[in-house]
Amino acid sequence: IWVVLGLALATSQLHQYLIPISLGAMLLTVLIGPTTAGIINIALSILVGIMLDNSLNIMIMGITGGIIGTYLCDRAEQRNALVWAGLAVSCVNLMSIFSLEILSSSEWFSSLKISTWGIGSGLLSGVFLIGTLPIWENLFGIVTPIRLMELANPNHPILKRLLMEAPGTYHH
């Protein structure tokens, strides 16, 4: 939570829609589970919205992006699925920001221009998720399904060595 709030302060200096709110939900989905992630996502979205002068648009963007991120990360079994989750969050952010901006300003070109910051928000969420996930796994000793799938890969060098040196153990 503190990491996302710190990133919110840092990225809000560039633009308010660049904040990677869905990062918290995506990380917690992979590390703990989707139920906790959903609750924390709503709390983070409200906190960041309050930090930015009670911005309802930020809250809605954070909640919708976090829901999609939670759903897709819950089904992820490989790290490239997390990349796709970040891209999906980018698309959802783009659509939600565009919808909210078009409702408030009625100018579609300026709304579309502003909503492109949502793409950056989703991409930042995906990049920080993939970049920091191994750190969180090691720091808290959590074995995620993604890590288990990587360890079970038959192309892993240690499994190849086990097959060559102790085939009975490998097959058992």
Side-chain angles (χ1 to χ4, degrees):
I1 294 172
W2 291 109
V3 170
V4 174
L5 291 177
L7 283 171
L9 282 175
T11 56
S12 67
Q13 303 300 318
L14 294 173
H15 199 276
Q16 67 178 0
Y17 288 129
L18 188 62
I19 299 171
I21 300 173
S22 55
L23 169 64
M26 293 165 72
L27 262 174
L28 288 174
T29 299
V30 174
L31 294 172
I32 298 173
T35 306
T36 306
I39 294 167
I40 297 296
N41 177 51
I42 293 170
L44 272 174
S45 299
I46 292 170
L47 283 173
V48 171
I50 290 170
M51 281 174 38
L52 297 174
D53 299 324
N54 296 326
S55 175
L56 182 64
N57 291 358
I58 295 294
M59 290 181 203
I60 293 173
M61 179 198 78
I63 290 171
T64 55
I67 289 170
I68 294 299
T70 300
Y71 177 76
L72 292 175
C73 286
D74 188 36
R75 301 188 179 324
E77 293 181 354
Q78 295 180 350
R79 294 206 190 265
N80 64 355
L82 300 178
V83 173
W84 288 110
L87 290 173
V89 168
S90 294
C91 293
V92 168
N93 285 349
L94 175 82
M95 291 185 287
S96 65
I97 294 169
F98 180 73
S99 302
L100 293 166
E101 288 292 323
I102 201 84
L103 285 173
S104 64
S105 72
S106 299
E107 295 179 22
W108 72 272
F109 184 73
S110 65
S111 298
L112 185 63
K113 194 167 109 176
I114 290 172
S115 63
T116 56
W117 287 102
I119 295 173
S121 170
L123 292 178
L124 275 177
S125 295
V127 166
F128 280 119
L129 172 66
I130 292 171
T132 63
L133 186 60
I135 296 169
W136 302 116
E137 288 173 339
N138 290 329
L139 187 64
F140 295 111
I142 298 173
V143 179
T144 62
I146 295 170
R147 178 173 257 180
L148 289 175
M149 291 300 292
E150 288 175 353
L151 292 174
N153 183 2
N155 291 327
H156 197 278
I158 195 75
L159 288 179
K160 285 183 177 180
R161 184 174 169 206
L162 183 66
L163 178 63
M164 297 304 288
E165 293 181 14
T169 301
Y170 175 83
H171 290 294
H172 180 72

